[in-house]
Amino acid sequence: MSADPLHRAGTPQRSTTSPPPSGSGASAIEVRRSARRRRTVSAYREGDRTVVLIPARMSEAEEQRWVSVMLDKLAAQESKRVIGDAELAERAERLSDQYLDGRAHPNSVRWVTNQNTRWGSCTPAEGSIRLSHRLQGMPEYVVDYVLLHELAHLLVPGHGPGFWRLLEAYPRTERAKGYLEGVVGAERLPHLPGARGE
């Protein structure tokens, strides 16, 4: 074992990779290496970042492969988790605080099943926000974008320059819009025989 203090057992080595591979929901990936860790690899979200824990002896190629595998696993876990209306309202508060200086205060935030042509809607006079159930299972950054979009409507009713300036603070606006455009585009594709096991 090396005499280098960073390579002593129990002392994690750290490296940060940014930007993340396409498809991940985090803006940064931090890889933590540990001499105590022998074979296992694990990952978790820490705020706006993904932390991947790997053995210290893992090669860079193995690290890259495992980071990709763990990002896919986290995304799959998150897509299966459906949050309720209460948690949706808490997310709205956090997003308002983080990106709108806490100025947007909805009276109600909830999922609805009657919005099949739009992702969300807002009634500023009532302070109500409704998100389409079709968003459930999409990456968190997409749900957060739609929620933030509707929060911004509590402050600016239309889609003018002032409205879009509010959304500039959210770093994944363009990425989320692209994701949703892709979903809409995929829904318009012709149904191909033989697809989906036919």
Side-chain angles (χ1 to χ4, degrees):
M1 180 75 60
S2 168
D4 181 349
L6 288 178
H7 291 89
R8 282 191 203 137
T11 304
Q13 303 166 22
R14 296 177 185 216
S15 65
T16 303
T17 307
S18 189
S22 62
S24 75
S27 63
I29 300 162
E30 180 180 337
V31 177
R32 295 181 186 170
R33 292 175 171 263
S34 171
R36 285 185 174 171
R37 190 173 283 269
R38 297 288 178 210
R39 283 181 245 167
T40 61
V41 177
S42 61
Y44 59 92
R45 302 280 193 215
E46 189 175 80
D48 202 26
R49 150 179 69 173
T50 301
V51 177
V52 181
L53 307 170
I54 64 172
R57 292 188 175 127
M58 193 171 276
S59 71
E60 286 200 29
E62 289 175 306
E63 174 183 320
Q64 289 176 1
R65 183 177 73 80
W66 276 106
V67 165
S68 179
V69 166
M70 297 313 288
L71 288 174
D72 288 346
K73 281 188 176 185
L74 281 174
Q77 289 170 356
E78 289 167 352
S79 71
K80 291 176 184 169
R81 186 174 159 261
V82 176
I83 64 170
D85 291 348
E87 190 174 351
L88 201 58
E90 289 172 13
R91 279 172 82 167
E93 294 242 353
R94 283 195 311 270
L95 289 167
S96 177
D97 290 344
Q98 188 171 0
Y99 298 107
L100 301 173
D101 298 321
R103 295 181 294 142
H105 301 285
N107 293 323
S108 70
V109 183
R110 61 191 175 94
W111 296 108
V112 294
T113 57
N114 62 350
Q115 290 189 19
N116 294 314
T117 59
R118 59 175 71 178
W119 298 113
S121 63
C122 172
T123 307
E126 297 173 5
S128 63
I129 292 175
R130 294 158 307 280
L131 296 190
S132 172
H133 72 287
R134 297 182 310 137
L135 288 165
Q136 294 174 335
M138 290 189 187
E140 286 187 8
Y141 74 93
V142 176
V143 176
D144 284 351
Y145 163 72
V146 175
L147 196 48
L148 190 60
H149 183 108
E150 301 309 331
L151 285 166
H153 278 310
L154 292 175
L155 305 175
V156 178
H159 288 105
F163 173 82
W164 292 110
R165 270 194 298 277
L166 289 175
L167 291 180
E168 286 175 359
Y170 185 62
R172 295 198 185 107
T173 291
E174 291 306 315
R175 185 175 180 189
K177 285 168 63 177
Y179 184 99
L180 293 170
E181 287 170 7
V183 170
V184 170
E187 289 172 351
R188 291 182 182 151
L189 290 174
H191 181 69
L192 299 174
R196 297 182 183 158
E198 292 175 1

